[in-house]
Amino acid sequence: MNDGAAVLFGRRPVRSRRSTVGDVVLVADVCVDAPGPDLDHPFTYAVDARTAPGLVTGVQVRVPFAGADVAGWVLGVRTPEETERVTPLRHVRRVVSRPVLAPDVVAVARRVADHYAGTLSDVLRTAVPPRHARAEREAAVEPDISGRAAPAGELRPGDWQTVTGASAFLDRVRLGQAPAAAALLPAWADPWAALAFAVDHVRAGGRSALVLVPDTADVERVVTAVGTRHRVRALHHALGPAARWRAFLDILDGRVDVVVGTRAAAFAPLPRLGGVLVWDDGDDSFVEPRAPGWHTRVVAAERARESGAAVLFVGHSRSVDTQWLVRTGALKSLEATRASRRLSARVVTPRPADPVEARARLPHSTHVAIATGVARGPVLVSVARRGYAPALACDRCRTPARCLHCRGGRLAAGAHDEAPHCGWCGRDALGFVCPECGGRTLRASVVGGTRTAYELGRAFPDTMVVTSHGSQRIHDIPESPCIVVATAGAEPVAAGGYAAAVVLDVDAVLQRPGLSTVSDAVARWMHVVSLVRPATAAGVVVLVGDPASPAVQAVVAGSPERLAQRLCEDRLESGLPPATVAATITGDPQAVTEATAWLRGHRDDGDPPALWEVATPDAHVGVQIWGPVTVASTGEADRSRAVVVGGRDAVTAAARDVLSRRSARRTRTGVVTLRVDPVEV
């Protein structure tokens, strides 16, 4: 192994002896935790008699690499060949952990890394939580967890019985088969009870189940629904290092039948995995922010494929990516019947005849709906942004108000009696003068949840108003009358359901840039509908927006899968993901320009984006390169982005070539982030 294969900064250099003839007892193939796709292959290390007893496949070790002592995973142990006995090899320094890397997890991690043009070490770094020695010692003497699986009973009315094809799917799961489907539950159905019932069918076949949900609040609800009948463990980042490592070891040792977790649990090493259930796969929290940026949807599919398990994507809505898998036949569509959907809360859109009221953010009909709902219980008001006035504009010409000091930050207000301030430098905007018209007064161009709560508090002085958003989230509220103003994803669950709900800023949300804007908005609004009492209990949801919008019509009709199918057809016609595969190259303008010029065959003649062959001998399918273009300029540094679009093999090859070329040449032209299948193109 070449000791100078990589340059690792910030690590203490170490001295390591090389093997001699007769000194090698075993050799180990090690995945070294080192950056760079050119290092994405096993390295061979010698194992002496002192280290051999504890060194088996799956353990974590410390090995010398590029003059430093780094971590690595043992992928295989074998007897040395004759050439390896005489070849000077570096020795494994020490064994760090017990065997914690399951073979099926390695296989899945390898395919995930190839899918996203990443490295195996990057994926394994997120697949296995950091080791905690004290927790490992305690887990070694901890008794087995009590509890046994309960057999699944008959389908209960109100849950899966209203979903066409669900009965046949769950029967196949109970028999140990591996079907794949996407289920669309009616908005009034209890999702946690539905997931628990599906877990019962997986466990009835004698196999374990993995349930993945977007956030920790959902984890607790699923654990409550499942834990009375099965041995269950929660696995997520919020547990802390010790609790997370102990849960991981319990799963690895087979003391757990069901794992419920967030994105971090996607690689949980469950033995005899029989079913992978994913709730609301379109949620952004399912995307790993660290390289290579994998999505839980892909990991779940690969886990099911490797283990011969069933996979089920469940939700009140359906993402475009999941609908594309349905369209291509990879998933079977299980949809709620039309009669069951009509039982959900009634969704209406205000249509005021007065043109002035039609432009109001809170028209009179919303006040009527809130007043009627408060008389019967809690009312939810969903807003797009938190804060009081997140963005201000000139009151005369409506030009966005920016800071006169840093020349870039948007002005905002934190409260009705607070002076406007810059969102970047934080300075108060005293003496504002509009550079376009000379106006000196400001107005709110974007209204946040705090101001909405303030206005509703004045309109309903005898009713308590509660706010909930990301940093100050409320998870549950009682059944007593109140008004809850919440941002998307932070809506509390009301005991007995909300009597009514109002969704504001509908048109503003749909005007946001991005391919997933419409599908994400529909998913959020369907979630609001699911929190409201059913139509039989007079539950109503008011969408304050353009009633002619396809997204609004999909929620009113309760048919989000039809909109997802329409979006798939649009993507196919325009050649956009998921009909094609895309990769984004974002970073320093010079570095992005060099990367795109190299992919175009070193052509940089100013021609418009065209079809170029990837400059690699093994890429036989062309890719289309868009850009680079400037995507952000903060005054400190500009950022550019280019998009590579084409077939899966060609785009992955192009992405790997860009990263390998920069890594092998030690390119220092700037930082570049490359993502295959990004959330936004």
Side-chain angles (χ1 to χ4, degrees):
M1 183 187 69
N2 183 6
D3 226 13
V7 178
L8 303 178
F9 297 95
R11 296 184 178 178
R12 180 175 57 85
V14 297
R15 299 180 63 183
S16 175
R17 65 186 182 89
R18 293 183 181 271
S19 61
T20 59
V21 177
D23 191 28
V24 180
V25 177
L26 298 170
V27 292
D29 296 324
V30 179
C31 172
V32 179
D33 189 5
D38 53 325
L39 306 175
D40 187 25
H41 58 84
F43 290 84
T44 304
Y45 284 87
V47 182
D48 55 26
R50 177 182 58 85
T51 312
L55 194 138
V56 295
T57 301
V59 300
Q60 191 176 23
V61 294
R62 303 292 296 186
V63 294
F65 189 83
D69 189 4
V70 301
W73 296 99
V74 176
L75 303 181
V77 181
R78 52 188 170 83
T79 57
E81 301 176 358
E82 289 299 325
T83 56
E84 292 174 330
R85 291 183 181 275
V86 297
T87 302
L89 298 173
R90 292 290 186 184
H91 277 252
V92 173
R93 284 192 157 272
R94 61 189 177 93
V95 177
V96 176
S97 72
R98 50 169 286 191
V100 293
L101 193 60
D104 60 330
V105 173
V106 176
V108 171
R110 179 69 271 174
R111 291 203 291 267
V112 171
D114 294 340
H115 183 96
Y116 290 99
T119 64
L120 179 61
S121 62
D122 284 340
V123 180
L124 292 180
R125 196 178 302 121
T126 58
V128 180
R131 177 176 178 263
H132 197 280
R134 178 173 56 83
E136 185 171 320
R137 290 192 298 269
E138 294 174 353
V141 298
E142 186 177 85
D144 192 11
I145 303 174
S146 61
R148 289 294 180 266
E154 296 298 327
L155 286 172
R156 293 171 296 181
D159 290 330
W160 289 104
Q161 190 177 9
T162 61
V163 180
T164 304
S167 178
F169 176 88
L170 294 176
D171 287 342
R172 292 184 60 188
V173 173
R174 189 196 302 206
L175 295 175
Q177 300 179 16
L184 193 66
L185 293 177
W188 53 266
D190 183 358
W192 320 127
L195 289 174
F197 195 59
V199 168
D200 288 346
H201 280 73
V202 177
R203 292 293 302 131
R207 298 189 293 175
S208 57
L210 174 61
V211 184
L212 303 173
V213 294
D215 57 44
T216 55
D218 297 337
V219 170
E220 298 303 323
R221 293 187 174 97
V222 177
V223 169
T224 302
V226 176
T228 58
R229 299 185 299 280
H230 309 288
R231 301 182 300 176
V232 61
R233 269 287 189 268
L235 186 62
H236 49 81
H237 287 290
L239 289 176
R244 187 182 173 198
W245 184 248
R246 290 186 63 180
F248 180 84
L249 294 181
D250 286 339
I251 298 167
L252 184 68
D253 293 339
R255 294 185 284 190
V256 175
D257 298 325
V258 182
V259 172
V260 183
T262 55
R263 179 185 68 246
F267 291 94
L270 272 166
R272 305 189 72 248
L273 182 62
V276 182
L277 313 176
V278 183
W279 172 258
D280 191 14
D281 67 286
D283 196 286
D284 290 346
S285 60
F286 277 135
V287 181
E288 172 60 42
R290 294 171 292 182
W294 47 263
H295 196 289
T296 306
R297 183 192 306 110
V298 175
V299 180
E302 292 295 344
R303 290 296 307 274
R305 171 187 171 189
E306 179 67 23
S307 304
V311 60
L312 180 63
F313 299 101
V314 195
H316 292 307
S317 183
R318 184 171 291 173
S319 66
V320 177
D321 295 273
T322 300
Q323 183 63 35
W324 182 261
L325 295 176
V326 171
R327 187 183 186 278
T328 57
L331 297 175
K332 175 69 175 177
S333 181
L334 310 178
E335 301 172 4
T337 62
R338 181 58 53 185
S340 67
R341 300 187 195 196
R342 286 195 290 266
L343 299 177
S344 302
R346 186 169 59 95
V347 182
V348 298
T349 56
R351 298 182 180 182
D354 186 354
V356 176
E357 185 181 357
R359 293 193 298 268
R361 183 170 180 264
L362 281 166
H364 176 69
S365 57
T366 63
H367 285 264
V368 173
I370 294 174
T372 305
V374 166
R376 299 183 291 111
V379 174
L380 173 64
V381 179
S382 176
V383 296
R385 298 280 295 273
R386 67 176 183 177
Y388 187 78
L392 299 175
C394 175
D395 188 45
R396 181 188 298 176
C397 66
R398 303 299 194 263
T399 300
R402 298 191 179 275
C403 180
L404 301 179
H405 298 281
C406 65
R407 303 286 181 179
R410 290 290 301 270
L411 298 185
H416 69 281
D417 55 352
E418 181 179 301
H421 62 275
C422 175
W424 285 5
C425 65
R427 297 183 181 179
D428 291 341
L430 301 177
F432 169 79
V433 178
C434 177
E436 297 294 331
C437 67
R440 296 179 177 273
T441 57
L442 295 169
R443 71 184 305 271
S445 58
V446 177
V447 177
T450 304
R451 176 166 175 174
T452 304
Y454 173 75
E455 294 176 352
L456 291 175
R458 297 185 62 182
F460 301 91
D462 298 330
T463 304
M464 181 176 64
V465 180
V466 181
T467 59
S468 176
H469 52 81
S471 59
Q472 297 179 356
R473 181 178 178 181
I474 300 174
H475 295 288
D476 299 280
I477 62 169
E479 197 174 356
S480 58
C482 66
I483 299 176
V484 180
V485 180
T487 55
E491 301 93 345
V493 176
Y498 289 98
V502 175
V503 181
L504 302 178
D505 310 317
V506 168
D507 295 335
V509 170
L510 294 177
Q511 292 173 2
R512 292 175 178 174
L515 280 177
S516 61
T517 296
V518 174
S519 59
D520 289 348
V522 171
R524 292 168 182 169
W525 300 337
M526 289 300 298
H527 175 64
V528 171
V529 176
S530 70
L531 297 175
V532 181
R533 299 170 186 173
T536 54
V540 62
V541 177
V542 181
L543 287 181
V544 184
D546 182 10
S549 169
V552 174
Q553 292 178 354
V555 179
V556 172
S559 56
E561 79 285 358
R562 295 186 181 180
L563 178 65
Q565 179 62 29
R566 176 178 174 179
L567 294 175
C568 284
E569 300 297 336
D570 293 342
R571 305 282 182 88
L572 181 62
E573 183 178 352
S574 57
L576 293 172
T580 57
V581 178
T584 56
I585 307 173
T586 310
D588 179 78
Q590 181 182 354
V592 175
T593 300
E594 290 178 357
T596 54
W598 182 74
L599 287 177
R600 286 168 169 155
H602 297 282
R603 287 189 57 174
D604 190 17
D605 50 13
D607 289 344
L611 190 66
W612 301 91
E613 285 294 321
V614 180
T616 52
D618 58 342
H620 305 293
V621 182
V623 295
Q624 192 173 5
I625 303 172
W626 302 338
V629 296
T630 301
V631 294
S633 179
T634 63
E636 300 177 358
D638 294 338
R639 289 172 61 82
S640 295
R641 181 178 63 188
V643 182
V644 182
V645 182
R648 169 68 61 185
D649 295 338
V651 171
T652 304
R656 278 192 170 275
D657 290 340
V658 168
L659 295 176
S660 298
R661 182 173 180 267
R662 288 178 55 82
S663 177
R665 295 182 57 185
R666 304 291 180 262
T667 304
R668 296 290 181 262
T669 55
V671 177
V672 166
T673 301
L674 196 147
R675 289 289 184 267
V676 177
D677 289 344
V679 177
E680 292 295 346
V681 177

